[in-house]
Structures are given as structure tokens and as C-alpha cells.
Amino acid sequence: MLLTAAGCSGDSQTAGSRLNTENAVDKVLNQKTGGEDAKTITETEITTEMETTTETEKSTEMESADITDPTSEPTYGQVVNGDSSVIAQYKSDGVDVDLTLMGSDLVYATVYQMMSKPEEYDGKTIRIEGKYYASYYPITDKYYNYCLIADALACCSQGLEFELAGGAVYPDDYPADQSEVVVTGVFETYTEEAGQTFYYCRLRDAEYQLVSGNDQ
């Protein structure tokens, strides 16, 4: 009966409420009269019982709605167009933005926005899942480590650089190339000189968990 009232609208909802009211009256008559003439029950007693029953039903319906009403995931367009506030709901223990809780399109869009508006994420703890890749850059004579995420169609990839904590050294302290990993670290921007000044984003003081090994 409660499901009918909560799940229907219009005339059906009215009918459900009326049915509940009739049951409340019968309950009062059966309890109060003990088989005597129903006319001996005062109108006030019936009204009070009905009001109590109605309030209880309303409270139960509201609690049920709060539990079952899901929060819809933001769209790709919302994030790419600059509405970073829509991802505030994606938090987990000790993590400000947990991309592992998002769908693939939203992950791709969120990383894109981190690159275009890094100041909004500076100092936040970020968690991301994807494939690990290392890339050597001869001008700086360094290896750079990335977690790459493909979009839903697997036609494009978006990567986020990370640097492990504790003075980790490549390749000894890093996973095998193309391993599936979950990386957690603090988002920051930094500059590097290579003939001119370049600006980059990365996760510093990061740690990783291996999800699966090399797919090759």
C-alpha cells in the first residue's frame, strides 16, 4: 500500500491515501468499542488517530524517497565547459577527487579539465585508474611516468603524470609498462626549463596499486 502511494501520482495517489484513512477509522472503532455501538466513540478520538497515522505515512514516504533517489552523474559537457563543481560529490576516504568512482566519459572530461584549469585542483588529493606508461625525453634526459585513460570509445586517451613518493627510481620502483594501476597523489603544477620554460601538471608524492600486469 505504501509503495502504491509513493509510486503513483494523480488520482491513484489520492485513492491510496483514502484507503489508508479508512483503515485508520476501522482500527479506532475495533479498539475503542470492544463490540459496542460505534456511535460512543467521539469524533475527536478518531480525528487524532487519523492525523497520527497520516503523519507517520508522510514521514516514511519522505525517508524512502531520500534513500532511493539517485544522484545522476554529471555530463561530459558540464565538466569540459568548466563546471568543476559537479564533481565535488566524487570523494572517498582521504581523497578529494576519486576518478575511480566515475564513468569513463566523465573521467576523460575531468582529466581534460585538470589540464585546462589546474588552479582549481592544486593541492587536492586525486585518485585515478588507467594504464601505466613511461616516456623518455632526451632534452631533459629523464623518464616521465603517466597513467593513461581511454574514453568510452577507446579512440582517445588522456594522461596524468605522476611521481612516486620516497625518491622512487625508474624503472626499479615503478610497475611494468602498460600495467593497469590505481594511482593516488597530490595534484600540483611545476615548471621545467628545456630551452624555454614549460608548465606541467602531475601527481606528486604518489603511490600506486597494481590492478593487473602487462597486457603484452
Side-chain angles (χ1 to χ4, degrees):
M1 186 157 46
L2 177 59
L3 291 176
T4 303
C8 302
S9 60
D11 292 336
S12 296
Q13 184 173 359
T14 304
S17 299
R18 185 179 299 115
L19 177 60
N20 293 334
T21 300
E22 290 171 357
N23 288 342
V25 174
D26 290 341
K27 180 181 177 181
V28 174
L29 291 176
N30 290 332
Q31 290 179 349
K32 300 290 185 179
T33 61
E36 297 176 0
D37 193 339
K39 292 181 180 180
T40 61
I41 304 304
T42 65
E43 183 176 354
T44 302
E45 289 175 305
I46 296 177
T47 302
T48 301
E49 185 78 14
M50 289 167 57
E51 290 175 351
T52 301
T53 303
T54 302
E55 289 301 320
T56 301
E57 290 168 351
K58 287 182 179 179
S59 176
T60 303
E61 290 178 15
M62 291 175 63
E63 291 174 0
S64 176
D66 291 339
I67 295 172
T68 58
D69 184 24
T71 301
S72 59
E73 185 172 74
T75 65
Y76 178 94
Q78 279 180 292
V79 177
V80 169
N81 292 333
D83 188 3
S84 61
S85 63
V86 298
I87 67 168
Q89 60 186 299
Y90 293 95
K91 293 184 178 182
S92 57
D93 187 25
V95 178
D96 298 305
V97 182
D98 194 338
L99 283 78
T100 66
L101 303 178
M102 303 178 182
S104 56
D105 277 343
L106 185 57
V107 169
Y108 186 80
T110 303
V111 175
Y112 175 89
Q113 215 222 21
M114 287 180 181
M115 301 299 104
S116 60
K117 290 191 174 183
E119 67 279 0
E120 295 187 6
Y121 299 89
D122 191 36
K124 293 184 181 297
T125 300
I126 309 295
R127 178 173 290 153
I128 190 169
E129 181 176 352
K131 283 194 174 184
Y132 167 74
Y133 287 92
S135 177
Y136 177 72
Y137 190 42
I139 295 179
T140 59
D141 190 29
K142 288 175 60 177
Y143 278 92
Y144 297 86
N145 306 281
Y146 299 91
C147 184
L148 266 63
I149 315 98
D151 67 353
L153 299 178
C155 63
C156 303
S157 293
Q158 191 70 265
L160 189 58
E161 182 189 346
F162 69 93
E163 186 176 78
L164 295 180
V169 177
Y170 176 86
D172 296 344
D173 300 319
Y174 284 82
D177 208 41
Q178 296 193 43
S179 296
E180 189 78 17
V181 293
V182 174
V183 179
T184 305
V186 179
F187 188 88
E188 70 170 2
T189 58
Y190 71 99
T191 60
E192 200 163 57
E193 298 296 329
Q196 58 180 311
T197 302
F198 293 91
Y199 295 85
Y200 300 100
C201 303
R202 68 182 173 193
L203 299 182
R204 62 172 170 82
D205 299 327
E207 58 183 24
Y208 78 89
Q209 293 177 312
L210 194 63
V211 178
S212 65
N214 193 313
D215 291 334
Q216 291 183 331

